[in-house]
């Protein structure tokens, strides 16, 4: 897998928010690792002690339906009778040791970079949102003040009152 920005962005697009955690679906991970979903899940089950609930969990029917509805690339999942597993960032890190192949190591590095990139994006978004709120609070009511200043200038200049039309 090439070590480029596009790969990280593609991977970041497969990171979902479920139960307040950022996770990746077993089928997306299997595709990235170049194995079938069945093989990936078998490897996990053989090493289940490495995957506590905060590393991996199975989706409910409702969560699965939500994922299928919101992610175009997962339409085929709609007809699957099995509920998919999802892996948190720590679970993904553990997967590279369980799969233990050269490709798994390379893919895992790209996935970790994608999680980091997503954290940076979310952090920047929160900072921007906070600054925007601060500016809104700072300038709240200034439109009326500016309008009063213009009205006072008009009165001083002897100009008729002009209603602002936007």
């Amino acid at each position: 897998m090439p070590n480029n920005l596009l790969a990280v962005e593609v991977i970041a697009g497969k990171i979902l928010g479920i139960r307040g955690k950022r996770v990746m679906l077993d089928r997306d991970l299997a595709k990235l690792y170049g194995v079938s979903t069945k093989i990936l899940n078998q490897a996990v089950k053989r090493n289940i002690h490495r995957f506590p609930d905060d590393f991996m969990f199975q989706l409910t029917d409702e969560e699965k339906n939500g994922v299928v509805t919101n992610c175009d690339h997962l339409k085929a999942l709609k007809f699957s009778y099995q509920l998919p597993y999802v892996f948190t960032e720590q679970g993904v890190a553990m997967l590279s040791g369980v799969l233990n192949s050269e490709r798994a190591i390379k893919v895992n590095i790209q996935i970790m970079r994608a999680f980091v990139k997503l954290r940076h994006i979310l952090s920047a978004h929160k900072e921007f949102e906070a600054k925007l709120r601060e500016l809104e609070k700072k300038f709240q009511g200034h439109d009326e003040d500016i309008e009063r200043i213009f009205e006072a200038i008009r009165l001083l200049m002897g100009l008729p009152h002009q209603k602002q039309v936007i």
Side-chain angles (χ1 to χ4, degrees):
M1 173 164 282
N3 190 12
N4 62 28
L5 183 62
L6 179 62
V8 170
E9 289 175 345
V10 168
I11 293 168
K14 295 184 184 306
I15 298 173
L16 308 171
I18 299 175
R19 298 185 196 174
K21 299 178 182 196
R22 287 187 293 275
V23 298
M24 292 186 74
L25 282 165
D26 55 2
R27 68 178 21 224
D28 286 337
L29 287 164
K31 219 176 250 183
L32 290 169
Y33 288 125
V35 298
S36 70
T37 306
K38 182 178 179 179
I39 296 294
L40 183 134
N41 287 329
Q42 285 175 344
V44 168
K45 287 177 184 171
R46 280 193 304 271
N47 296 278
I48 198 67
H49 60 282
R50 293 179 182 228
F51 296 93
D53 292 343
D54 57 330
F55 282 31
M56 174 194 87
F57 55 89
Q58 193 168 27
L59 296 183
T60 64
D61 276 322
E62 188 176 316
E63 290 167 333
K64 175 187 151 190
N65 292 336
V67 166
V68 168
T69 301
N70 293 317
C71 301
D72 289 338
H73 78 282
L74 298 172
K75 294 291 183 202
L77 188 60
K78 180 178 184 175
F79 304 105
S80 173
Y81 65 93
Q82 292 184 321
L83 296 173
Y85 288 94
V86 292
F87 296 83
T88 63
E89 184 174 356
Q90 294 86 356
V92 172
M94 193 61 72
L95 274 174
S96 68
V98 170
L99 294 174
N100 201 19
S101 71
E102 190 65 33
R103 180 179 173 97
I105 292 167
K106 288 178 181 176
V107 167
N108 200 275
I109 290 168
Q110 289 298 92
I111 292 171
M112 293 301 110
R113 287 182 175 144
F115 272 102
V116 169
K117 180 179 176 108
L118 189 58
R119 266 197 304 279
H120 286 297
I121 290 169
L122 292 173
S123 174
H125 177 72
K126 286 179 184 175
E127 288 174 24
F128 177 74
E129 186 178 356
K131 286 183 182 187
L132 185 61
R133 266 195 238 120
E134 184 182 316
L135 282 172
E136 286 175 335
K137 198 180 280 185
K138 184 176 180 179
F139 292 107
Q140 191 173 20
H142 284 300
D143 286 345
E144 293 169 8
D145 293 339
I146 292 170
E147 186 60 39
R148 279 190 230 126
I149 291 169
F150 280 121
E151 185 60 30
I153 293 170
R154 281 189 202 97
L155 286 172
L156 289 172
M157 294 177 65
L159 297 173
H161 172 73
Q162 292 181 328
K163 185 91 171 168
Q164 184 83 19
V165 179
I166 297 176

